[in-house]
Amino acid sequence: MSQLQKRIRNFCIIAHIDHGKSTLADRILERTGTLSRGEMRDQVLDSMDLERERGITIKAHAIRIDYKDATGHEWALNLIDTPGHVDFSYEVSRSLAACEGALLVVDASQGIEAQTIANFYLALEHDLAIVPVLNKIDLPNARTEAVKEALCDLTGESPENVFEISARTGEGVDELLDRMTDLIPPPAGREEDPLQALIFDSVFDRFRGVNIYLRLMQGRVRSGDTIRFLATGDERVVDEVGVFRLKRVPREELCAGEVGYILAGIKQIRHAQVGDTVTLSREGAVEALPGFQEPKPMVFSGMFPTDPGEYDLLRDALEKLHLNDAAITFEPESSEALGFGFRCGFLGMLHLEVVQERLEREYDLNLISTIPSVVFRAILNDGSVKRVDNPRHLPDPGEIERIEEPIVDARIITPTEYMGNVNKLIGEKRGVHKEMEYLEPTRVQLRFELPLAEVVLDFYDRLQSVTRGYASYDYEHSGFTTSDMVRLDVLVNGEPVDALSIIVHREKAYSWGRQLTGRLKELIPRQMYQVAIQAAIGTKVIARETVSAYRKDVIAKCYGGDITRKRKLLEKQKEGKKRMKQIGSVQIPQEAFLAVLRVNDDKGK
Amino acid sequence: MTTRENSYGIFVALPPPGDSPAEAVLAGEIASPPIPFPTKGRCTDLYVDSKRSSPFPGGRAAGEIAPLAELIRRHAPPERSFEIEAAGEETGPLCNQAVLFRDAGFNRICLAAPVGGSALLVRSIDAARCAGIDRIAVEHPFARVGESAADERERLAAAVEAGAEHISLVERADRTVGEEEWLRRYRATSDFLRRRGFLRYEIAHFSLPGRESAHVLRVFRCGTVVGFGPGAVSRKGRLRVRRPADDVASTPFTRKEAGETISAEEKAWEEFSLGIRLAEGVDIGTITAHPGRSFRDALIGAVEALAASGWLERVGDRVRLSRKGIPLADKIAADMLP
Ligand SMILES: Nc1nc2c(ncn2[C@@H]2O[C@H](COP(=O)(O)OP(=O)(O)OP(=O)(O)O)[C@@H](O)[C@H]2O)c(=O)[nH]1
Ligand SMILES: [Mg+2]
């Protein structure tokens, strides 16, 4: 191992959402003088607008730190800040593959939460050295001792190895930095061996093409080298190599153990797939690294431009976004109600929201998204299996032998006082209790099996409301189970509105039908005709609401010689109409397609 | 009732009283109106509106009406049908000056019926008739929140009794009773007036036979109007000019930049949405001759659909709002906006 390599430490910061990862990264960057005062700001690594606005990390961010410790030793640290939300755990697992160690951060006022556990196990799977860190000890309601005990229980560490810090005040951060270099091993792998590097992320840049983020397991690479991608066999000449320091910092070469980037004029992301292994063409064969499991979209929703003329723009935008977010899937879809759009797959509801927001904001589109659906399996009479991610594509009930729905293993952590509420909620959501474990005397971890469909819709909101925001949850896909699912259609004046169909459990169909029709009644403005809104399973109507017809819309006298004034008023009326979709003879406002999701009004984080 | 192509109306909006410079300009202008347009055709009605002030309220000398009289003299065609109307928001001053108006050549007067009692209105009508103006129109506040149907009816009956030949229902968008109540009152008012010989020639305008307001008809048939005075609107074909609220000196239709040329579609829309309100209806064939194809098709398609479901009805080769369609006039118009 070279002298240089001995001084490299690659680590990521993992934690439950909001436990202070990005803030800890700030302190580390500050203490090591990595960024100038001018560059520094709170959660500086959260560079996307959306991250800054929502105050959460969405994408993993890597940064190279040159650190001189108290004894004068110089270190090259690669820090990767990761997101905490369950939807983005794919980001975490890729980051882990580039590291030897992980700082497992726990908020001392909150305690162990669901993603603390999930991320801990992820790090363990990757064989990383785990450094337990208790954060926010400055908070008056920090339960430092109790949480420390729980953290020790989880990780098997002894209490004296748990760091106590405040990422806000900086307390304990120096000591952590100082000791970290001992606790995390240097990267293995020899510089002399043929290049073997793992692509753990990629970002598309309009000017330079695909930025490949990689971790060199062995070997070295410099500009001018010809590299080969093992998965595709593609070869490219490297234009530039370097490390990240908010921006790209070009370097002469990257060596075994380092984390950095390569630019090779690649215009299409499929030529540089995340998880692929890169080698030098002249050095011949190396083994492909394990790579990553393809992220599996869990939630599907139709995305339609409100202006049909923007279909092509939407496609372009999705393609571009896909370059930076491989977890999105999309394929063309057409709806009678909404026109042409795309059926898109997401990792979860937050992911869906983030993607929609980015599309609207970064690409200036106006979108309608339909009710999210999970992927069902229809086992047909002839034994074949049809994957159904869109309620409209559910075959005729006569052809179906049974329907299977995806289920998840869910972990919920809650203060014991809300256990009753949580159990009740789980019952409502068709969950099956599996086990329970005390993390602290007053905090308990419950394990359930739950249908994914119940989790995606409003589970988070409901859980937060029954536990006053004190519970957290995490889940993992665990298979399929046969369920009595039916397709619930919505009809407006007898015309089915394809975009509002949903696959639900038969027992839930009635309450869904009532809620949906009730909500639509509020949202569909009165028109010249009476509007009947029905929810039906097949031909059987299970709920019905009526929007009465307009009785009057006229102001008797038109002002004198000036119709312009009147026209202005009517134009306002028409403004609203623009955002309507015509279904048969009925105009449905676009919010209707969204608002049916918002079962309770206090949605949000 | 057919539109006379070569006729136009003059619309005069009066400036606020006491605003002497403006008044002087207006007076001067009216005295010798620099009307470059229309070059041919004849003025068949003159409508003097004073929404922002009472016309010539108390104390003004007859001489102040002289410019108007001059205007009238210049434009009055020999035939007697020429209609010269003064309309004001306040009834009192208007009737106090009735003699002056008569002397200036006015032959029609439009009085606003105050809410809350009919005594003043009746007195005003009498005053106007005594002065020799026998064509009396009444603006009847309609379906207003705070006034009972019975009180409203009492006012209307008094106006009719006193000899009004023309009733306009005026409504305030922000002060109108609920829908069901509106529908009831509208029906009852229409029936009441019909029984007294009034025809509904436009959905808010009723008159004894032959006593329609030339000005109202002109507006709803989208005819040519030359406007004077602050905020007055002139229109000819697709050209619109609105005079600035503080400017009375400029000449309509000469200063192009002050105007707006609406599109053929917008013009068709205006003709449609105003025309269907008239009892005579509107000729869809004529109004769809000019706009672009997609609008024309949409309009023709919508008319068919609306007629099929009973919102519009055909009268010969014209269409108008049906009884059922009248309460939705604005909705239908809004839906058809280009
Ligand atoms: N009092 C106190 N607040 C802290 C501390 N560390 C972080 N915070 C606050 O906790 C909130 C969340 O901090 P972040 O650093 O964004 O948390 P995160 O773990 O990166 O969150 P995600 O990236 O969304 O998972 C912010 O308001 C921080 O200011 C601390 O040591 N003490
Ligand atoms: Mg963060």
Side-chain angles (χ1 to χ4, degrees):
Chain A
M1 191 181 294
S2 72
Q3 277 312 306
L4 177 74
Q5 196 177 337
K6 277 186 195 155
R7 301 245 164 250
I8 297 176
R9 293 295 179 271
N10 299 313
F11 68 99
C12 49
I13 309 181
I14 56 177
H16 189 75
I17 191 160
D18 270 354
H19 279 203
K21 297 175 288 295
S22 302
T23 307
L24 174 56
D26 287 349
R27 291 297 86 73
I28 293 178
L29 296 175
E30 220 167 64
R31 301 279 155 156
T32 53
T34 305
L35 299 178
S36 68
R37 258 185 200 286
E39 287 171 308
M40 206 56 215
R41 53 178 178 169
D42 281 350
Q43 286 100 32
V44 64
L45 294 179
D46 289 342
S47 50
M48 265 191 319
D49 286 349
L50 211 57
E51 293 183 313
R52 301 208 64 78
E53 261 166 46
R54 293 190 169 224
I56 58 167
T57 305
I58 292 169
K59 186 124 182 85
H61 298 276
I63 188 162
R64 163 78 166 233
I65 299 167
D66 295 315
Y67 166 54
K68 195 182 218 170
D69 69 16
T71 60
H73 285 118
E74 293 188 8
W75 303 89
L77 308 181
N78 277 300
L79 177 162
I80 305 180
D81 180 24
T82 65
H85 193 278
V86 55
D87 280 11
F88 307 120
S89 60
Y90 178 57
E91 292 281 319
V92 181
S93 59
R94 281 184 291 126
S95 307
L96 294 170
C99 298
E100 279 73 41
L103 308 186
L104 176 65
V105 175
V106 179
D107 182 329
S109 69
Q110 305 270 308
I112 307 275
E113 299 280 10
Q115 262 72 50
T116 316
I117 299 179
N119 287 331
F120 166 71
Y121 284 115
L122 265 184
L124 216 55
E125 270 169 40
H126 281 82
D127 258 345
L128 301 198
I130 293 167
V131 179
V133 178
L134 265 189
N135 186 31
K136 307 200 189 180
I137 56 166
D138 61 300
L139 286 178
N141 60 340
R143 296 177 287 113
T144 308
E145 285 316 310
V147 176
K148 188 195 280 188
E149 205 178 307
L151 185 53
C152 291
D153 281 351
L154 175 69
T155 58
E157 282 290 346
S158 59
E160 54 274 15
N161 289 340
V162 175
F163 289 87
E164 293 175 21
I165 68 160
S166 164
R168 173 164 291 170
T169 64
E171 184 184 347
V173 174
D174 282 333
E175 196 199 342
L176 172 64
L177 257 175
D178 196 42
R179 295 263 314 280
M180 211 171 66
T181 48
D182 289 339
L183 296 170
I184 298 172
R190 288 152 40 96
E191 275 172 27
E192 302 75 34
D193 286 343
L195 176 67
Q196 187 193 36
L198 175 70
I199 305 182
F200 69 89
D201 204 353
S202 62
V203 167
F204 186 77
D205 171 328
R206 217 168 347 140
F207 306 106
R208 306 289 308 259
V210 179
N211 287 261
I212 304 167
Y213 290 12
L214 32 67
R215 158 66 198 270
L216 277 69
M217 297 304 173
Q218 60 181 43
R220 50 178 70 203
V221 63
R222 51 171 56 218
S223 60
D225 282 344
T226 303
I227 51 169
R228 191 170 72 242
F229 298 92
L230 290 195
T232 57
D234 259 19
E235 302 209 337
R236 296 280 165 157
V237 176
V238 175
D239 293 334
E240 185 179 305
V241 303
V243 295
F244 321 101
R245 194 160 288 154
L246 293 193
K247 293 187 276 295
R248 290 186 298 260
V249 180
R251 292 253 310 260
E252 217 160 274
E253 69 170 2
L254 292 173
C255 295
E258 285 192 293
V259 171
Y261 71 88
I262 285 186
L263 294 174
I266 300 170
K267 291 285 178 246
Q268 291 192 318
I269 213 101
R270 66 187 141 86
H271 293 136
Q273 290 164 6
V274 167
D276 195 3
T277 304
V278 176
T279 187
L280 292 187
S281 67
R282 67 177 133 84
E283 286 177 339
V286 294
E287 241 179 80
L289 292 159
F292 308 109
Q293 261 188 355
E294 288 263 313
K296 253 207 224 94
M298 297 277 208
V299 185
F300 288 78
S301 161
M303 295 227 164
F304 296 85
T306 55
D307 173 356
E310 290 186 340
Y311 174 81
D312 287 331
L313 293 179
L314 174 58
R315 194 194 42 232
D316 285 355
L318 279 167
E319 274 166 9
K320 291 218 182 78
L321 210 58
H322 186 251
L323 296 179
N324 293 337
D325 186 350
I328 313 171
T329 63
F330 57 99
E331 56 188 50
E333 169 178 19
S334 76
S335 148
E336 275 159 42
L338 303 177
F340 291 97
F342 292 89
R343 189 76 185 166
C344 303
F346 306 95
L347 299 173
M349 288 300 286
L350 180 61
H351 189 216
L352 184 158
E353 268 178 48
V354 162
V355 169
Q356 173 158 5
E357 217 167 312
R358 287 186 68 183
L359 286 169
E360 295 198 320
R361 213 186 258 221
E362 294 168 30
Y363 300 91
D364 209 16
L365 293 161
N366 271 314
L367 300 175
I368 305 182
S369 56
T370 58
I371 308 181
S373 170
V374 300
V375 180
F376 296 92
R377 298 206 309 202
I379 319 292
L380 306 184
N381 293 330
D382 63 5
S384 60
V385 179
K386 188 172 160 53
R387 182 181 168 283
V388 181
D389 68 24
N390 186 337
R392 294 162 53 205
H393 300 156
L394 190 70
D396 210 60
E399 294 172 36
I400 302 177
E401 195 219 288
R402 63 196 155 89
I403 299 178
E404 293 181 343
E405 66 170 330
I407 47 167
V408 297
D409 267 333
R411 171 190 293 124
I412 295 175
I413 295 178
T414 175
T416 43
E417 55 183 305
Y418 301 115
M419 233 161 67
N421 290 356
V422 171
N423 279 320
K424 195 159 149 252
L425 173 65
I426 294 296
E428 265 172 49
K429 296 287 178 187
R430 301 187 285 128
V432 181
H433 184 101
K434 279 171 49 186
E435 55 183 68
M436 157 173 148
E437 185 189 333
Y438 278 87
L439 298 177
E440 295 172 43
T442 57
R443 284 169 65 79
V444 64
Q445 173 181 197
L446 306 166
R447 311 277 306 246
F448 298 94
E449 202 172 82
L450 270 171
L452 179 61
E454 299 286 347
V455 177
V456 293
L457 279 177
D458 61 344
F459 186 73
Y460 178 81
D461 300 341
R462 295 290 311 282
L463 182 65
Q464 295 304 301
S465 80
V466 302
T467 63
R468 296 159 162 242
Y470 283 112
S472 64
Y473 82 104
D474 177 60
Y475 61 85
E476 202 166 282
H477 197 66
S478 66
F480 283 84
T481 187
T482 299
S483 290
D484 188 8
M485 308 304 289
V486 292
R487 187 176 74 204
L488 185 68
D489 294 319
V490 172
L491 296 94
V492 171
N493 277 1
E495 302 236 11
V497 184
D498 56 7
L500 293 177
S501 291
I502 170 177
I503 298 176
V504 279
H505 195 268
R506 190 181 297 276
E507 278 170 18
K508 298 260 169 127
Y510 289 85
S511 71
W512 250 103
R514 267 195 309 275
Q515 263 181 28
L516 213 60
T517 48
R519 203 87 184 84
L520 282 168
K521 180 185 176 170
E522 287 167 28
L523 290 162
I524 297 180
R526 293 193 310 159
Q527 347 227 322
M528 292 176 61
Y529 302 85
Q530 171 174 309
V531 178
I533 307 162
Q534 295 166 308
I537 301 171
T539 53
K540 187 175 164 217
V541 172
I542 60 167
R544 184 195 164 101
E545 293 278 357
T546 310
V547 180
S548 57
Y550 246 126
R551 302 283 286 138
K552 177 228 164 195
D553 181 9
V554 64
I555 297 298
K557 192 179 166 184
C558 252
Y559 169 67
D562 188 10
I563 192 188
T564 342
R565 247 198 244 176
K566 176 124 194 167
R567 197 173 83 204
K568 295 250 160 62
L569 289 175
L570 296 180
E571 263 159 10
K572 262 190 214 146
Q573 223 172 327
K574 164 123 186 196
E575 257 309 287
K577 187 184 148 190
K578 261 198 214 132
R579 286 183 293 271
M580 301 270 206
K581 288 281 174 184
Q582 188 86 25
I583 309 280
S585 57
V586 181
Q587 291 170 353
I588 300 188
Q590 301 192 336
E591 310 99 79
F593 295 96
L594 300 176
V596 286
L597 305 179
R598 308 250 185 267
V599 192
N600 23 347
D601 285 326
D602 55 345
K603 188 172 163 105
K605 311 279 120 69
Chain B
M1 276 186 262
T2 49
T3 317
R4 262 188 284 163
E5 264 311 319
N6 61 346
S7 72
Y8 57 90
I10 294 181
F11 172 81
V12 184
L14 291 172
D19 203 348
S20 31
E23 223 168 301
V25 175
L26 174 72
E29 188 178 13
I30 289 176
S32 99
I35 307 176
F37 145 85
T39 48
K40 47 185 194 301
R42 73 185 352 178
C43 178
T44 59
D45 55 281
L46 174 78
Y47 178 78
V48 180
D49 187 22
S50 164
K51 289 300 174 200
R52 63 200 82 232
S53 67
S54 349
F56 316 107
R60 292 204 189 180
E64 289 184 77
I65 304 179
L68 277 173
E70 170 65 9
L71 183 77
I72 293 162
R73 192 187 56 71
R74 273 164 177 265
H75 288 273
E79 66 253 43
R80 278 179 48 218
S81 64
F82 187 67
E83 185 176 298
I84 304 167
E85 172 181 348
E89 280 227 308
E90 289 162 52
T91 296
L94 204 56
C95 78
N96 290 341
Q97 312 275 335
V99 177
L100 295 181
F101 280 104
R102 181 204 58 205
D103 290 347
F106 285 80
N107 58 12
R108 192 171 191 275
I109 203 159
C110 181
L111 303 166
V115 179
S118 53
L120 178 59
L121 177 70
V122 170
R123 237 188 308 126
S124 300
I125 293 175
D126 286 345
R129 302 205 19 234
C130 288
I133 299 174
D134 60 351
R135 301 196 55 188
I136 293 156
V138 169
E139 300 238 302
H140 174 65
F142 172 66
R144 205 159 286 196
V145 169
E147 189 183 30
S148 71
D151 289 351
E152 184 184 316
R153 165 65 56 80
E154 192 273 324
R155 276 195 292 108
L156 183 63
V160 170
E161 205 86 332
E165 61 168 30
H166 187 279
I167 303 286
S168 307
L169 306 186
V170 285
E171 218 182 305
R172 282 190 48 173
D174 57 337
R175 280 216 220 136
T176 292
V177 296
E179 286 183 7
E180 295 303 325
E181 175 65 11
W182 189 96
L183 287 166
R184 261 196 301 279
R185 286 201 198 181
Y186 186 76
R187 242 175 264 134
T189 303
S190 296
D191 289 348
F192 173 85
L193 288 169
R194 196 183 40 187
R195 281 198 300 275
R196 276 152 188 81
F198 284 76
L199 303 173
R200 178 169 66 201
Y201 70 97
E202 194 277 339
I203 65 178
H205 295 94
F206 301 74
S207 78
L208 294 174
R211 298 303 179 102
E212 300 90 349
S213 154
H215 179 69
V216 167
L217 279 172
R218 176 175 302 283
V219 167
F220 283 87
R221 288 169 177 167
C222 294
T224 301
V225 174
V226 187
F228 289 97
V233 174
S234 301
R235 36 190 288 167
K236 183 194 187 188
R238 287 161 48 188
L239 186 64
R240 296 280 175 282
V241 180
R242 174 195 278 280
R243 310 191 102 193
D246 58 348
D247 176 2
V248 291
S250 64
T251 310
F253 297 115
T254 54
R255 286 200 358 198
K256 263 264 163 70
E257 70 277 17
E260 170 200 19
T261 303
I262 62 171
S263 68
E265 287 72 32
E266 286 170 305
K267 176 160 183 280
W269 175 82
E270 287 187 1
E271 288 167 340
F272 169 76
S273 56
L274 292 175
I276 55 172
R277 296 172 58 116
L278 290 168
E280 66 186 27
V282 62
D283 183 346
I284 298 295
T286 310
I287 66 172
T288 52
H290 298 292
R293 191 188 173 139
S294 69
F295 183 74
R296 182 177 61 217
D297 292 351
L299 187 63
I300 292 173
V303 167
E304 308 255 279
L306 290 165
S309 31
W311 310 105
L312 293 181
E313 64 191 14
R314 296 185 193 277
V315 268
D317 50 1
R318 301 165 79 89
V319 292
R320 67 175 177 205
L321 290 163
S322 66
R323 208 180 144 82
K324 172 177 153 194
I326 285 173
L328 293 174
D330 287 358
K331 167 85 180 134
I332 291 170
D335 282 354
M336 280 321 301
L337 270 167

